[in-house]
Amino acid sequence: MKGLIDLSGLPPDAVSDILGRASHYADLLEAQTTIDPILHDKVVTNAFFEASTRTRLSFERASMALGADVLSLDPEISSAVKGESLGDTLQTLAALGTDVLVLRHGEDDAPAYAANVTGLPVINAGAGTSMHPTQTLLDLLTIRRHFGRFEGLRLAIVGDIAHSRVAAGLIEALPSVGVDLRLVGPDSLLPGDADVPTTDDLDGCLGELDIVYLLRLQRERGTAQPSFYTEAFQMNSTRSARLNDRAVVMHPGPINRGIEITDDVADGPRSLILQQVANGVPTRMAVLEVVAGEAL
Ligand code: CP
């Protein structure tokens, strides 16, 4: 695998293989077992041109856990502020000895551009509204480790789906593993061309769901909060009480408390939100292992 730009470009068994390795690394991390430093001779460079806490730090943690050296570019204090082009910045990172480039950027095609301009394996850490493949993988890992299966689970993505790269990845991946997916939100925040069922009636489907996957409103991409949003779409204690006993709540983070989710649900027994964060590390270890392995 020469980098990870999107999931659709992967060979047929790659997702299953990565989830298997991620699960293995999750077990090792939980057991605090010594991990083979297979990337001891590699340099992983993180270049995040959009804000991030979870993705950036979990890539750093994953890289260090595998023995890699880690460089992290902070664009706001880089020579980008002196007018250096994106291409020149990326080529500079390559010239500094980068073996694997982890890139987050506001433009959909930035990871492909970075791979082209540097020749490096690039891992897409979130690009525009198009794709966030390692988030999709860690969500798959979280679901499988919690439920032990995908087949037959009923999941609703709720919120600003039209502007969400997280939703784009889930819409691509979940039906192919057997999850029964539906999209829930106001018409203005639903994609116009979805191949899966859509509805604006969250209350009408709550009782059928195994997983409620909440999204925040993507204000940085121009989404305004509809006046009726919390009344119709907020996951609160009343709605949580109407879910079946085994149903869980997921969210890629960052969460906006009091808007799409209330404190009692975010911090309550149904919440897998921090488990998703934790699973980011073994998932990214598995991706780095596969990507760097191909780059040897
Ligand atoms: N889920 C996610 O991508 O979070 P960060 O923006 O904090 O990396």
Side-chain angles (χ1 to χ4, degrees), residues 200-243:
D200 63 0
D201 184 10
L202 175 60
D203 291 317
C205 64
L206 277 177
E208 305 165 10
L209 299 174
D210 300 296
I211 303 163
V212 182
Y213 194 107
L214 301 167
L215 298 172
R216 70 184 171 86
L217 299 168
Q218 304 266 306
R219 296 180 198 282
E220 72 274 32
R221 305 195 202 287
T223 300
Q225 182 177 336
S227 58
F228 54 88
Y229 192 79
T230 57
E231 186 183 338
F233 300 107
Q234 183 185 72
M235 184 51 60
N236 52 34
S237 57
T238 304
R239 290 198 168 99
S240 180
R242 295 180 52 204
L243 294 169

Side-chain angles (χ1 to χ4, degrees), residues 48 51-56 104 125 132 135 166 252-254 284:
F48 279 59
S52 170
T53 297
R54 279 150 283 272
T55 311
R56 175 172 164 168
R104 171 170 288 193
H132 189 354
Q135 179 71 46
V166 173
R284 286 160 179 139

Side-chain angles (χ1 to χ4, degrees), residues 145-161:
R145 283 177 76 83
H146 183 82
F147 287 98
R149 64 188 168 92
F150 295 119
E151 195 68 37
L153 293 174
R154 289 160 297 189
L155 182 149
I157 306 175
V158 183
D160 183 6
I161 297 160

Side-chain angles (χ1 to χ4, degrees), residues 50 105-108 126-131 163-165 218 221:
E50 282 190 340
H105 200 279
E107 298 294 327
D108 290 1
T129 58
S130 67
M131 193 59 70
H163 302 104
S164 171
R165 56 195 176 210
Q218 304 266 306
R221 305 195 202 287

Side-chain angles (χ1 to χ4, degrees), residues 84-198:
E84 187 167 62
S85 71
L86 177 62
D88 286 336
T89 297
L90 295 170
Q91 288 184 334
T92 299
L93 299 179
L96 287 167
T98 296
D99 293 296
V100 177
L101 178 63
V102 180
L103 180 72
R104 171 170 288 193
H105 200 279
E107 298 294 327
D108 290 1
D109 57 1
Y113 171 75
N116 190 43
V117 81
T118 65
L120 291 171
V122 173
I123 300 175
N124 178 356
T129 58
S130 67
M131 193 59 70
H132 189 354
T134 60
Q135 179 71 46
T136 308
L137 291 166
L138 78 84
D139 287 335
L140 291 175
L141 181 71
T142 302
I143 292 168
R144 198 173 71 177
R145 283 177 76 83
H146 183 82
F147 287 98
R149 64 188 168 92
F150 295 119
E151 195 68 37
L153 293 174
R154 289 160 297 189
L155 182 149
I157 306 175
V158 183
D160 183 6
I161 297 160
H163 302 104
S164 171
R165 56 195 176 210
V166 173
L170 293 171
I171 291 167
E172 182 174 321
L174 289 174
S176 67
V177 295
V179 172
D180 178 0
L181 175 64
R182 66 211 68 187
L183 310 180
V184 183
D187 285 347
S188 62
L189 300 182
L190 290 172
D193 56 352
D195 287 334
V196 294
T198 62

